[in-house]
Amino acid sequence: MDQAFDVAIIGAGSAGLSALREVRKHTDNFVLINDGPYGTTCARVGCMPSKALIEVANAFDRRSVFKAFGIGGADGLSVDTAAVLRHVRALRDSFVAGVVQVTNALGERSLQGRAQFIGPQMLEVNGETISARRIVIATGSRPLVPEAWRAWGVRVMTSDDLFEQATLPRHMAVVGLGGIGLEMAQALSRLGLEVHGFDAAQHLAGVTDPVVSQALTDILSGQFAIHLGASAELQAHGERMQVSAGNTRVVVDKVLVALGRRPHVNHLGLDRLGVELDEHGVPQFNPQTMQIGDLPIYIAGDANAHRFLLHEAADEGHIAGHNAARAQPECFARRTPLGIVFTDPNVASVGRAYADLQAGEAVIGAVDFKGQGRSRMGAQDHGHLRIYAARQSGELLGAELCVPHGEHLAHLLALAVQSKLSVRDVLRMPFYHPVLEEGLRSALRDAAGRLQGSEAADLAFCDRLGTAGLE
Protein backbone atom coordinates (compact mmCIF):
# COMPACT_ATOMS: atom_id res chain seq x y z
CA MET A 1 0.00 0.00 0.00
CA ASP A 2 1.38 3.40 -0.99
CA GLN A 3 2.06 5.88 1.80
CA ALA A 4 2.54 9.66 1.57
CA PHE A 5 4.52 11.78 4.04
CA ASP A 6 5.72 15.34 4.38
CA VAL A 7 9.25 14.17 5.20
CA ALA A 8 11.04 10.82 4.99
CA ILE A 9 14.34 10.40 6.84
CA ILE A 10 16.58 7.53 5.74
CA GLY A 11 18.85 6.48 8.59
CA ALA A 12 18.44 6.51 12.37
CA GLY A 13 22.00 7.49 13.29
CA SER A 14 23.22 10.76 14.81
CA ALA A 15 22.41 12.85 11.72
CA GLY A 16 19.04 11.16 11.18
CA LEU A 17 17.93 11.62 14.79
CA SER A 18 19.08 15.25 14.73
CA ALA A 19 17.02 15.79 11.56
CA LEU A 20 14.07 14.04 13.19
CA ARG A 21 14.17 16.44 16.15
CA GLU A 22 13.80 19.40 13.79
CA VAL A 23 11.16 17.82 11.56
CA ARG A 24 8.94 16.97 14.55
CA LYS A 25 8.75 20.65 15.44
CA HIS A 26 6.77 21.25 12.24
CA THR A 27 4.92 18.06 11.28
CA ASP A 28 3.79 14.72 12.61
CA ASN A 29 3.48 13.33 9.09
CA PHE A 30 6.99 11.85 8.79
CA VAL A 31 8.63 8.45 8.60
CA LEU A 32 12.06 7.33 9.81
CA ILE A 33 13.44 4.45 7.74
CA ASN A 34 16.41 2.44 8.97
CA ASP A 35 18.24 -0.55 7.53
CA GLY A 36 20.52 -2.27 10.04
CA PRO A 37 21.18 -1.86 13.75
CA TYR A 38 19.75 1.03 15.74
CA GLY A 39 21.62 3.01 18.38
CA THR A 40 23.97 5.14 16.19
CA THR A 41 27.51 4.33 15.09
CA CYS A 42 28.91 6.57 17.83
CA ALA A 43 27.17 4.80 20.69
CA ARG A 44 27.47 1.25 19.30
CA VAL A 45 30.95 0.98 17.79
CA GLY A 46 32.52 4.44 17.72
CA CYS A 47 33.03 7.32 20.12
CA MET A 48 31.59 5.80 23.26
CA PRO A 49 33.03 2.25 23.45
CA SER A 50 36.40 3.43 22.14
CA LYS A 51 36.66 6.11 24.83
CA ALA A 52 35.57 3.59 27.48
CA LEU A 53 38.44 1.31 26.42
CA ILE A 54 40.87 4.25 26.38
CA GLU A 55 39.91 5.22 29.95
CA VAL A 56 40.67 1.70 31.19
CA ALA A 57 43.96 1.57 29.29
CA ASN A 58 45.07 4.97 30.59
CA ALA A 59 44.16 4.04 34.16
CA PHE A 60 46.31 0.91 33.96
CA ASP A 61 49.16 2.80 32.30
CA ARG A 62 49.36 5.26 35.21
CA ARG A 63 50.99 2.53 37.29
CA SER A 64 54.26 3.43 35.53
CA VAL A 65 54.56 6.66 37.56
CA PHE A 66 53.44 5.27 40.91
CA LYS A 67 56.97 4.63 42.15
CA ALA A 68 58.05 8.19 41.38
CA PHE A 69 54.99 9.43 43.25
CA GLY A 70 55.89 7.34 46.29
CA ILE A 71 53.15 4.74 45.70
CA GLY A 72 54.06 1.05 45.97
CA GLY A 73 52.44 -2.09 44.66
CA ALA A 74 52.27 -1.20 40.98
CA ASP A 75 53.96 -4.47 39.99
CA GLY A 76 51.04 -6.40 41.43
CA LEU A 77 48.48 -4.89 39.06
CA SER A 78 47.25 -6.90 36.07
CA VAL A 79 44.69 -6.69 33.28
CA ASP A 80 41.88 -9.16 32.66
CA THR A 81 41.11 -8.30 29.03
CA ALA A 82 37.89 -10.32 29.04
CA ALA A 83 36.65 -8.32 32.03
CA VAL A 84 37.75 -5.07 30.39
CA LEU A 85 35.75 -5.84 27.26
CA ARG A 86 32.70 -6.82 29.32
CA HIS A 87 32.95 -3.47 31.12
CA VAL A 88 33.21 -1.62 27.80
CA ARG A 89 30.21 -3.45 26.37
CA ALA A 90 28.13 -2.81 29.48
CA LEU A 91 28.78 0.92 29.23
CA ARG A 92 28.20 0.81 25.48
CA ASP A 93 24.88 -0.99 25.90
CA SER A 94 23.65 1.63 28.37
CA PHE A 95 24.42 4.41 25.89
CA VAL A 96 22.74 2.51 23.05
CA ALA A 97 19.64 1.81 25.14
CA GLY A 98 19.06 5.51 25.65
CA VAL A 99 19.26 6.16 21.92
CA VAL A 100 17.01 3.24 20.98
CA GLN A 101 14.27 4.58 23.25
CA VAL A 102 13.88 7.50 20.83
CA THR A 103 13.16 5.29 17.83
CA ASN A 104 11.07 2.78 19.76
CA ALA A 105 8.74 5.58 20.83
CA LEU A 106 7.92 6.43 17.19
CA GLY A 107 5.73 3.37 16.66
CA GLU A 108 4.46 3.15 13.06
CA ARG A 109 6.48 6.21 12.08
CA SER A 110 9.67 4.12 12.42
CA LEU A 111 10.10 1.63 9.60
CA GLN A 112 12.73 -1.11 9.44
CA GLY A 113 13.85 -1.73 5.88
CA ARG A 114 16.12 -0.74 3.00
CA ALA A 115 15.09 2.35 1.07
CA GLN A 116 15.78 2.86 -2.63
CA PHE A 117 14.98 5.91 -4.70
CA ILE A 118 12.47 5.50 -7.50
CA GLY A 119 12.46 9.23 -8.12
CA PRO A 120 13.26 12.50 -6.28
CA GLN A 121 10.16 12.14 -4.09
CA MET A 122 9.56 8.40 -4.27
CA LEU A 123 11.09 5.52 -2.32
CA GLU A 124 10.64 1.79 -2.34
CA VAL A 125 10.86 0.11 1.08
CA ASN A 126 10.07 -3.55 1.70
CA GLY A 127 8.28 -3.77 -1.63
CA GLU A 128 6.02 -0.79 -0.88
CA THR A 129 6.12 2.69 -2.38
CA ILE A 130 6.57 5.69 -0.12
CA SER A 131 6.19 9.25 -1.35
CA ALA A 132 7.51 12.28 0.52
CA ARG A 133 7.57 15.95 -0.28
CA ARG A 134 11.14 16.06 0.99
CA ILE A 135 13.68 13.39 1.88
CA VAL A 136 16.71 13.43 4.20
CA ILE A 137 19.53 10.97 3.51
CA ALA A 138 21.41 10.14 6.74
CA THR A 139 22.60 6.59 6.13
CA GLY A 140 25.98 6.98 7.84
CA SER A 141 29.17 5.18 6.88
CA ARG A 142 30.90 1.82 7.07
CA PRO A 143 34.54 0.83 7.71
CA LEU A 144 36.74 0.57 4.64
CA VAL A 145 38.25 -2.90 4.22
CA PRO A 146 39.96 -3.99 0.99
CA GLU A 147 37.88 -6.76 -0.54
CA ALA A 148 40.78 -9.21 -0.65
CA TRP A 149 41.33 -8.82 3.11
CA ARG A 150 37.79 -9.98 3.91
CA ALA A 151 38.87 -13.52 3.00
CA TRP A 152 40.90 -13.74 6.22
CA GLY A 153 37.69 -13.80 8.28
CA VAL A 154 37.96 -13.25 12.03
CA ARG A 155 41.70 -12.65 11.84
CA VAL A 156 40.92 -9.22 10.34
CA MET A 157 38.77 -6.86 12.43
CA THR A 158 37.42 -3.33 12.22
CA SER A 159 36.18 -1.04 14.97
CA ASP A 160 32.75 -2.58 14.32
CA ASP A 161 34.12 -5.93 15.56
CA LEU A 162 36.72 -5.00 18.17
CA PHE A 163 34.42 -4.46 21.13
CA GLU A 164 32.55 -7.72 20.52
CA GLN A 165 35.67 -9.82 21.15
CA ALA A 166 35.53 -12.13 24.18
CA THR A 167 39.18 -11.37 24.85
CA LEU A 168 42.22 -9.99 23.00
CA PRO A 169 45.24 -11.83 21.58
CA ARG A 170 48.80 -11.13 22.66
CA HIS A 171 50.03 -9.77 19.32
CA MET A 172 48.10 -7.33 17.10
CA ALA A 173 48.70 -5.06 14.15
CA VAL A 174 46.75 -1.89 13.48
CA VAL A 175 46.67 -0.89 9.82
CA GLY A 176 45.77 2.76 9.48
CA LEU A 177 46.92 5.32 12.05
CA GLY A 178 44.34 8.02 11.60
CA GLY A 179 42.35 9.07 14.64
CA ILE A 180 40.57 5.77 15.30
CA GLY A 181 43.55 3.55 14.52
CA LEU A 182 45.96 5.59 16.63
CA GLU A 183 43.60 5.69 19.62
CA MET A 184 43.11 1.92 19.52
CA ALA A 185 46.80 1.15 18.91
CA GLN A 186 47.86 3.08 22.01
CA ALA A 187 45.02 1.72 24.15
CA LEU A 188 45.74 -1.90 23.20
CA SER A 189 49.43 -1.35 23.85
CA ARG A 190 48.70 0.12 27.28
CA LEU A 191 46.61 -2.93 28.11
CA GLY A 192 49.71 -5.07 27.64
CA LEU A 193 49.40 -6.23 24.02
CA GLU A 194 52.34 -6.13 21.63
CA VAL A 195 51.15 -3.73 18.93
CA HIS A 196 52.56 -2.78 15.54
CA GLY A 197 50.98 0.24 13.83
CA PHE A 198 51.17 0.81 10.06
CA ASP A 199 50.26 3.74 7.84
CA ALA A 200 51.20 4.66 4.28
CA ALA A 201 51.33 8.34 5.24
CA GLN A 202 54.28 9.99 6.95
CA HIS A 203 52.14 11.67 9.61
CA LEU A 204 49.94 10.29 12.39
CA ALA A 205 46.27 11.15 12.94
CA GLY A 206 46.11 13.56 10.01
CA VAL A 207 48.47 16.08 11.64
CA THR A 208 49.86 18.46 9.00
CA ASP A 209 52.16 20.65 11.12
CA PRO A 210 55.63 19.08 10.83
CA VAL A 211 56.73 20.14 14.33
CA VAL A 212 53.60 18.78 16.01
CA SER A 213 53.80 15.67 13.85
CA GLN A 214 57.38 14.93 14.87
CA ALA A 215 56.60 15.49 18.56
CA LEU A 216 53.64 13.11 18.38
CA THR A 217 55.62 10.43 16.56
CA ASP A 218 58.50 10.70 19.02
CA ILE A 219 56.17 10.28 22.00
CA LEU A 220 54.09 7.38 20.69
CA SER A 221 56.91 5.44 19.06
CA GLY A 222 58.27 4.91 22.56
CA GLN A 223 55.05 3.08 23.46
CA PHE A 224 54.47 0.78 20.47
CA ALA A 225 56.10 0.06 17.11
CA ILE A 226 55.14 2.55 14.39
CA HIS A 227 55.82 1.92 10.70
CA LEU A 228 55.11 4.85 8.37
CA GLY A 229 55.51 5.63 4.70
CA ALA A 230 54.61 2.29 3.07
CA SER A 231 51.30 0.55 2.36
CA ALA A 232 50.62 -2.60 4.37
CA GLU A 233 49.94 -5.98 2.79
CA LEU A 234 48.39 -8.98 4.54
CA GLN A 235 49.22 -12.63 4.08
CA ALA A 236 48.24 -15.76 6.00
CA HIS A 237 50.98 -17.24 8.16
CA GLY A 238 49.56 -20.52 9.41
CA GLU A 239 46.76 -19.59 11.80
CA ARG A 240 48.22 -16.10 12.18
CA MET A 241 48.72 -13.11 9.86
CA GLN A 242 51.84 -11.58 8.36
CA VAL A 243 51.79 -7.85 7.81
CA SER A 244 54.36 -6.42 5.37
CA ALA A 245 55.17 -2.78 4.64
CA GLY A 246 58.39 -1.75 2.93
CA ASN A 247 61.18 -3.70 4.59
CA THR A 248 59.09 -4.52 7.68
CA ARG A 249 57.59 -7.97 8.29
CA VAL A 250 55.68 -8.87 11.44
CA VAL A 251 53.53 -11.86 12.37
CA VAL A 252 50.53 -11.19 14.60
CA ASP A 253 47.45 -12.98 15.87
CA LYS A 254 44.93 -10.49 14.51
CA VAL A 255 44.82 -7.28 12.49
CA LEU A 256 42.67 -4.26 13.25
CA VAL A 257 41.95 -2.43 10.00
CA ALA A 258 41.39 1.32 10.49
CA LEU A 259 41.69 2.70 6.98
CA GLY A 260 38.82 5.12 7.42
CA ARG A 261 35.13 5.00 6.62
CA ARG A 262 33.10 5.28 3.43
CA PRO A 263 29.61 6.75 2.99
CA HIS A 264 26.95 4.04 3.12
CA VAL A 265 25.02 5.19 0.04
CA ASN A 266 25.71 2.60 -2.64
CA HIS A 267 22.37 0.82 -2.10
CA LEU A 268 20.14 3.91 -2.36
CA GLY A 269 19.84 4.16 -6.14
CA LEU A 270 21.16 7.73 -6.23
CA ASP A 271 22.09 7.20 -9.87
CA ARG A 272 18.36 7.44 -10.65
CA LEU A 273 18.19 11.06 -9.50
CA GLY A 274 19.96 12.54 -12.52
CA VAL A 275 22.77 14.12 -10.49
CA GLU A 276 26.52 13.63 -10.81
CA LEU A 277 28.09 11.30 -8.24
CA ASP A 278 31.71 11.27 -7.08
CA GLU A 279 33.98 8.22 -6.87
CA HIS A 280 32.24 7.16 -3.64
CA GLY A 281 28.76 7.51 -5.11
CA VAL A 282 28.06 10.76 -3.20
CA PRO A 283 26.27 13.65 -4.95
CA GLN A 284 27.38 17.26 -4.69
CA PHE A 285 25.50 19.26 -2.03
CA ASN A 286 25.45 22.68 -0.44
CA PRO A 287 27.11 22.48 3.02
CA GLN A 288 25.14 25.54 4.18
CA THR A 289 21.74 23.98 3.33
CA MET A 290 22.62 20.26 2.89
CA GLN A 291 20.50 20.28 -0.30
CA ILE A 292 21.45 18.17 -3.31
CA GLY A 293 21.28 20.53 -6.29
CA ASP A 294 17.73 21.86 -6.58
CA LEU A 295 16.15 18.55 -5.59
CA PRO A 296 13.87 18.21 -2.53
CA ILE A 297 16.56 15.97 -1.03
CA TYR A 298 19.05 16.71 1.74
CA ILE A 299 22.10 14.67 2.73
CA ALA A 300 23.65 14.84 6.21
CA GLY A 301 26.31 13.25 8.38
CA ASP A 302 28.79 10.60 7.28
CA ALA A 303 26.64 9.87 4.21
CA ASN A 304 27.96 13.02 2.52
CA ALA A 305 31.63 12.38 3.43
CA HIS A 306 32.09 16.03 4.49
CA ARG A 307 33.50 15.42 7.97
CA PHE A 308 33.24 12.08 9.76
CA LEU A 309 32.60 13.58 13.21
CA LEU A 310 29.55 13.27 15.46
CA HIS A 311 29.14 16.97 16.22
CA GLU A 312 29.30 17.74 12.50
CA ALA A 313 26.75 14.99 11.77
CA ALA A 314 24.42 16.41 14.42
CA ASP A 315 24.78 19.92 12.98
CA GLU A 316 24.15 18.70 9.46
CA GLY A 317 21.13 16.71 10.60
CA HIS A 318 19.78 19.87 12.25
CA ILE A 319 20.24 21.85 9.02
CA ALA A 320 18.76 19.10 6.84
CA GLY A 321 15.77 18.56 9.13
CA HIS A 322 15.15 22.28 9.47
CA ASN A 323 15.14 22.74 5.69
CA ALA A 324 13.21 19.57 4.92
CA ALA A 325 10.31 20.94 6.98
CA ARG A 326 10.19 24.21 4.98
CA ALA A 327 9.19 25.26 1.50
CA GLN A 328 12.50 27.08 0.92
CA PRO A 329 15.88 26.05 2.41
CA GLU A 330 17.82 28.45 4.61
CA CYS A 331 21.60 28.80 4.70
CA PHE A 332 23.47 28.16 7.95
CA ALA A 333 26.92 29.39 8.96
CA ARG A 334 29.00 26.36 9.93
CA ARG A 335 31.00 26.11 13.13
CA THR A 336 34.79 26.37 13.31
CA PRO A 337 36.34 23.03 12.32
CA LEU A 338 37.40 21.07 15.40
CA GLY A 339 38.88 17.59 15.52
CA ILE A 340 40.21 15.75 18.57
CA VAL A 341 42.02 12.41 18.85
CA PHE A 342 41.92 10.93 22.36
CA THR A 343 45.41 9.55 22.51
CA ASP A 344 47.73 10.54 25.35
CA PRO A 345 48.72 13.26 24.67
CA ASN A 346 45.52 14.41 22.99
CA VAL A 347 45.86 15.45 19.36
CA ALA A 348 43.71 18.27 18.01
CA SER A 349 43.24 20.54 15.04
CA VAL A 350 41.26 23.77 15.35
CA GLY A 351 40.19 26.10 12.56
CA ARG A 352 42.68 26.21 9.73
CA ALA A 353 45.41 23.59 9.81
CA TYR A 354 49.06 24.24 8.98
CA ALA A 355 48.54 22.77 5.50
CA ASP A 356 45.75 25.30 4.82
CA LEU A 357 47.95 28.37 5.37
CA GLN A 358 49.26 30.44 2.50
CA ALA A 359 52.95 31.33 2.40
CA GLY A 360 53.65 34.43 4.50
CA GLU A 361 50.04 34.71 5.62
CA ALA A 362 50.49 33.83 9.27
CA VAL A 363 52.84 34.00 12.21
CA ILE A 364 53.25 30.90 14.36
CA GLY A 365 53.33 30.87 18.13
CA ALA A 366 54.70 27.68 19.67
CA VAL A 367 55.29 26.05 23.02
CA ASP A 368 56.98 22.80 23.97
CA PHE A 369 55.24 21.27 26.98
CA LYS A 370 58.46 19.72 28.23
CA GLY A 371 58.87 21.17 31.72
CA GLN A 372 55.51 22.99 31.74
CA GLY A 373 54.66 23.35 35.42
CA ARG A 374 51.22 21.73 35.76
CA SER A 375 51.89 18.94 33.25
CA ARG A 376 55.17 18.18 35.02
CA MET A 377 53.27 17.56 38.27
CA GLY A 378 51.33 14.81 36.54
CA ALA A 379 54.43 13.32 34.84
CA GLN A 380 52.90 14.28 31.51
CA ASP A 381 55.19 17.10 30.45
CA HIS A 382 55.49 16.31 26.75
CA GLY A 383 54.01 17.46 23.49
CA HIS A 384 53.83 20.58 21.36
CA LEU A 385 51.28 23.31 20.59
CA ARG A 386 51.42 25.63 17.55
CA ILE A 387 48.92 28.42 16.93
CA TYR A 388 48.50 30.35 13.68
CA ALA A 389 47.60 34.05 13.60
CA ALA A 390 47.06 36.45 10.70
CA ARG A 391 50.26 38.40 10.18
CA GLN A 392 48.51 41.74 9.66
CA SER A 393 45.62 41.67 12.13
CA GLY A 394 46.77 39.11 14.67
CA GLU A 395 43.42 37.28 14.39
CA LEU A 396 43.66 33.63 15.41
CA LEU A 397 43.28 31.39 12.38
CA GLY A 398 43.80 27.94 13.86
CA ALA A 399 46.09 25.56 15.70
CA GLU A 400 47.47 22.04 15.77
CA LEU A 401 48.59 20.39 18.97
CA CYS A 402 49.54 17.22 20.79
CA VAL A 403 49.54 18.04 24.49
CA PRO A 404 48.22 16.49 27.72
CA HIS A 405 44.50 17.12 28.17
CA GLY A 406 44.59 19.01 24.88
CA GLU A 407 40.87 18.45 24.36
CA HIS A 408 40.26 21.38 26.73
CA LEU A 409 42.79 23.71 25.10
CA ALA A 410 41.28 22.82 21.72
CA HIS A 411 37.84 23.98 22.86
CA LEU A 412 39.24 27.26 24.17
CA LEU A 413 40.98 27.82 20.85
CA ALA A 414 37.84 26.94 18.88
CA LEU A 415 35.91 29.52 20.91
CA ALA A 416 38.58 32.13 20.17
CA VAL A 417 38.77 31.34 16.46
CA GLN A 418 35.00 31.33 15.97
CA SER A 419 34.75 34.61 17.89
CA LYS A 420 37.44 36.07 15.60
CA LEU A 421 39.59 37.03 18.56
CA SER A 422 43.14 38.18 18.05
CA VAL A 423 46.19 36.91 19.89
CA ARG A 424 46.16 40.02 22.05
CA ASP A 425 42.42 39.70 22.76
CA VAL A 426 43.03 36.29 24.28
CA LEU A 427 46.12 37.44 26.17
CA ARG A 428 44.03 40.12 27.88
CA MET A 429 41.94 37.36 29.47
CA PRO A 430 42.86 35.85 32.86
CA PHE A 431 44.98 32.71 33.16
CA TYR A 432 45.04 31.04 36.55
CA HIS A 433 48.13 29.38 38.06
CA PRO A 434 49.10 26.57 37.96
CA VAL A 435 47.04 25.26 35.02
CA LEU A 436 47.77 23.68 31.64
CA GLU A 437 46.25 26.73 29.97
CA GLU A 438 49.42 28.61 30.90
CA GLY A 439 51.05 26.58 28.13
CA LEU A 440 48.55 28.08 25.69
CA ARG A 441 49.42 31.51 27.04
CA SER A 442 53.10 30.85 26.32
CA ALA A 443 52.27 30.06 22.69
CA LEU A 444 50.13 33.19 22.44
CA ARG A 445 52.97 35.30 23.84
CA ASP A 446 55.31 33.75 21.32
CA ALA A 447 52.93 34.71 18.52
CA ALA A 448 52.42 38.22 19.93
CA GLY A 449 56.16 38.79 19.85
CA ARG A 450 56.14 38.10 16.11
CA LEU A 451 53.37 40.62 15.40
CA GLN A 452 53.84 44.31 14.87
CA GLY A 453 51.87 46.45 17.30
CA SER A 454 51.69 49.21 19.83
CA GLU A 455 54.34 49.52 22.49
CA ALA A 456 51.80 51.02 24.89
CA ALA A 457 51.43 49.37 28.27
CA ASP A 458 48.82 46.63 28.01
CA LEU A 459 48.22 43.32 29.78
CA ALA A 460 48.43 41.64 26.37
CA PHE A 461 52.11 42.57 26.26
CA CYS A 462 53.19 40.94 29.54
CA ASP A 463 56.35 38.92 28.94
CA ARG A 464 57.08 35.44 30.23
CA LEU A 465 58.71 35.26 33.64
CA GLY A 466 61.05 32.56 32.40
CA THR A 467 60.55 29.94 35.09
CA ALA A 468 58.34 26.87 34.98
CA GLY A 469 57.45 27.29 38.63
CA LEU A 470 55.51 30.43 37.75
CA GLU A 471 54.29 29.45 34.28
Side-chain angles (χ1 to χ4, degrees), residues 291-315:
Q291 186 175 18
I292 298 173
D294 59 359
L295 299 176
I297 303 173
Y298 301 83
I299 186 166
D302 287 6
N304 65 37
H306 185 217
R307 294 175 186 150
F308 293 95
L309 299 168
L310 181 136
H311 70 279
E312 295 286 359
D315 282 357

Side-chain angles (χ1 to χ4, degrees), residues 32-343:
L32 178 68
I33 306 164
N34 192 66
D35 178 35
Y38 288 80
T40 77
T41 295
C42 173
R44 288 187 303 103
V45 296
C47 322
M48 305 309 279
S50 66
K51 303 313 172 284
L53 185 70
I54 288 168
E55 288 291 345
V56 175
N58 288 349
F60 184 60
D61 184 69
R62 287 296 285 170
R63 75 195 188 286
S64 63
V65 300
F66 284 1
K67 186 175 181 179
F69 286 178
I71 303 172
D75 293 341
L77 298 176
S78 62
V79 170
D80 180 343
T81 55
V84 168
L85 290 167
R86 287 195 298 271
H87 164 74
V88 170
R89 285 193 293 272
L91 272 177
R92 182 271 313 274
D93 292 346
S94 69
F95 296 129
V96 169
V99 177
V100 170
Q101 285 181 354
V102 177
T103 49
N104 285 346
L106 296 177
E108 294 181 351
R109 291 176 294 180
S110 178
L111 182 60
Q112 175 82 42
R114 174 165 291 191
Q116 286 192 319
F117 279 93
I118 302 172
Q121 295 175 297
M122 299 286 288
L123 298 169
E124 182 181 287
V125 184
N126 299 333
E128 295 187 2
T129 300
I130 287 177
S131 65
R133 295 171 61 194
R134 297 176 190 85
I135 297 173
V136 175
I137 300 170
T139 46
S141 61
R142 62 185 186 276
L144 174 62
V145 181
E147 193 60 37
W149 292 10
R150 297 182 185 275
W152 306 122
V154 296
R155 286 181 284 181
V156 175
M157 298 184 294
T158 69
S159 55
D160 283 6
D161 312 312
L162 176 62
F163 309 111
E164 301 306 322
Q165 304 301 302
T167 188
L168 296 171
R170 179 71 182 86
H171 305 275
M172 284 191 66
V174 177
V175 178
L177 296 176
I180 295 172
L182 197 63
E183 286 179 351
M184 293 300 93
Q186 185 186 50
L188 294 173
S189 174
R190 288 186 162 190
L191 289 172
L193 280 64
E194 181 180 310
V195 176
H196 287 263
F198 295 84
D199 202 295
Q202 293 288 357
H203 303 285
L204 300 172
V207 174
T208 70
D209 189 305
V211 177
V212 176
S213 175
Q214 189 61 58
L216 179 64
T217 302
D218 289 346
I219 293 166
L220 295 189
S221 60
Q223 301 182 29
F224 61 93
I226 295 176
H227 313 283
L228 300 176
S231 297
E233 298 179 1
L234 304 189
Q235 182 180 347
H237 190 278
E239 295 299 314
R240 306 177 77 202
M241 294 298 297
Q242 177 177 287
V243 185
S244 306
N247 296 322
T248 300
R249 303 283 188 277
V250 298
V251 176
V252 297
D253 301 308
K254 289 191 176 184
V255 179
L256 175 63
V257 179
L259 293 173
R261 301 184 70 87
R262 289 292 179 266
H264 191 45
V265 297
N266 57 305
H267 61 286
L268 291 173
L270 297 179
D271 55 322
R272 299 170 188 160
L273 298 178
V275 294
E276 185 177 350
L277 306 178
D278 67 14
E279 67 272 21
H280 303 305
V282 177
Q284 291 187 347
F285 68 100
N286 183 333
Q288 274 70 53
T289 65
M290 313 316 297
Q291 186 175 18
I292 298 173
D294 59 359
L295 299 176
I297 303 173
Y298 301 83
I299 186 166
D302 287 6
N304 65 37
H306 185 217
R307 294 175 186 150
F308 293 95
L309 299 168
L310 181 136
H311 70 279
E312 295 286 359
D315 282 357
E316 291 178 358
H318 174 94
I319 296 169
H322 176 90
N323 284 332
R326 286 166 168 73
Q328 294 296 325
E330 298 178 1
C331 290
F332 283 72
R334 301 299 297 270
R335 303 183 207 263
T336 293
L338 170 63
I340 300 173
V341 180
F342 291 87
T343 50

Side-chain angles (χ1 to χ4, degrees), residues 339-351:
I340 300 173
V341 180
F342 291 87
T343 50
D344 178 17
N346 291 161
V347 180
S349 176
V350 179

